[in-house]
Each structure stands twice: as C-alpha cells, then as structure tokens.
C-alpha cells in the first residue's frame, strides 16, 4: 500500500482518503483508514508486521484485501464492517487473527487460513453471511468463541483441512 487519499471528513471517519504509507512501514496504525468508504482495494506490503485495531474498520467500498507475508498480527476489528470485501488473501506468516477482525465481511464467500495461524479470536469471521468455504492449510489453531457464527446464510459450512493437518473432529468457535 503506497498511497490512499483523504479529502472529506465525516466526523471521526473519512469519505475518501489521502495517506501515504512507506513500503518500510512496520504497522498500520489504530483506525488509520477507518471509514474510508471510497477505498476499493488494499495491498499490505511485506514490510508491515502488524495491522492494529480498527485500521480499516467500516471501509464499506473495500472489495479486495491482500495481506503481505510478513504480517504477524491482524488486530481486533481491523477489517470489521468491510461489507463488500469479496476477496481476502492472508499472508503466509500470520499468527493471530484478532477479535472480530473480519466480522461482517458480508460478501466474503471463502477464506484460506495459512498454516502459520495459531489463534483465531472470538467472532473473527462472525456475520460474514456468504462465507461457506474455509480452508485450513495447517493444524487447528486455538479458536475463540463464535468465530464463524452467522456465516453460511443457511447453507452448510464447508471446511477443508490439509492432508497432514492435526485437526479435531469437533472444533470450538463453529456455528
């Protein structure tokens, strides 16, 4: 992510955004892009190690999210209410997905969880109504409560696990 534009304030949020993030940035700060309604895609560079809480909260126009391979932590509500996000690519070294990190990503239909993920916190994907396919590339992480509640829109939730993964038959956090 090299630049985003901010032009009009809507209280604590912005309708459009003008920010510049150096490719050498280590974090995306708390609420850095919250409410940037005209932001349609974001690519987090490999230099970033953490995405702080509510960094992209309520970016309703955000459709595509690609998170770099060096990100280790996705903070609480980092992408919550990104209601039009249809594509989310998680980097290969993410360890922790925070509380409600992708809550209410209503347009998301599938997600692949990298083998590096050790913790998926409570409500991380809750309310992602169209989410029907989850792929785990590694062993079962520690799950918070209601991680996937409100997903599937009445359809079965299809869970795919890597052939060599250690995954219990019953997992907490599933609807």
């Amino acid at each position: 992510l090299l630049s985003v534009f901010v032009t009009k304030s809507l209280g604590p949020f912005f309708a459009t955004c003008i920010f510049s993030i150096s490719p050498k940035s280590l974090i995306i700060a708390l609420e850095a892009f919250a409410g940037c309604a005209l932001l349609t895609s974001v690519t987090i560079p490999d230099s970033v190690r953490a995405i702080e809480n509510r960094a992209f909260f309520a970016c309703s126009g955000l459709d595509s999210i690609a998170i770099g391979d060096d990100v280790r932590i996705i903070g609480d509500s980092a992408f919550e209410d990104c209601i039009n996000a249809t594509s989310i690519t998680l980097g290969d070294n993410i360890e922790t997905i925070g509380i409600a990190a992708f809550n209410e990503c209503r347009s998301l239909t599938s997600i692949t969880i990298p083998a590096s993920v050790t913790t998926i916190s409570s409500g991380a994907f809750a309310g992602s109504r169209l989410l029907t396919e989850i792929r785990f590339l590694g062993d079962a992480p520690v799950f918070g409560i209601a991680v996937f509640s409100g997903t599937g829109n009445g359809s079965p939730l299809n869970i795919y696990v890597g052939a060599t993964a250690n995954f219990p038959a019953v997992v907490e956090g599933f609807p």
Side-chain angles (χ1 to χ4, degrees):
L1 176 67
L2 298 177
S3 64
V4 179
F5 301 95
V6 176
T7 56
K8 182 179 176 189
S9 175
L10 296 172
F13 300 126
F14 301 96
T16 60
C17 310
I18 299 180
F19 285 115
S20 194
I21 296 178
S22 164
K24 295 182 182 184
S25 294
L26 295 178
I27 64 166
I28 306 285
L30 171 74
E31 297 183 350
F33 299 96
C36 291
L38 297 182
L39 181 61
T40 58
S41 71
V42 62
T43 300
I44 308 294
D46 287 341
S47 63
V48 172
R49 301 292 183 265
I51 301 169
E52 290 193 341
N53 298 350
R54 297 173 53 93
F56 293 91
F57 175 80
C59 290
S60 59
L62 197 53
D63 157 278
S64 173
I65 300 165
I67 298 174
D69 284 338
D70 288 338
V71 172
R72 302 285 192 265
I73 298 169
I74 300 173
D76 297 347
S77 300
F79 295 93
E80 182 175 1
D81 274 340
C82 291
I83 60 173
N84 290 306
T86 58
S87 171
I88 298 174
T89 303
L90 301 176
D92 290 336
N93 294 303
I94 292 171
E95 297 167 358
T96 301
I97 299 174
I99 295 169
F102 297 98
N103 184 39
E104 295 292 335
C105 287
R106 298 177 194 164
S107 300
L108 184 65
T109 59
S110 67
I111 189 73
T112 298
I113 308 296
S116 58
V117 173
T118 58
T119 303
I120 302 179
S121 301
S122 297
F125 294 93
S128 297
R129 296 180 180 114
L130 298 181
L131 182 61
T132 57
E133 181 177 299
I134 305 162
R135 294 185 179 277
F136 289 93
L137 299 182
D139 292 344
V142 173
F143 290 99
I145 59 171
V147 171
F148 296 102
S149 70
T151 59
N153 206 23
S155 298
L157 193 56
N158 298 304
I159 301 167
Y160 301 93
V161 179
T164 60
N166 178 14
F167 222 85
V170 176
V171 177
E172 282 294 319
F174 286 82

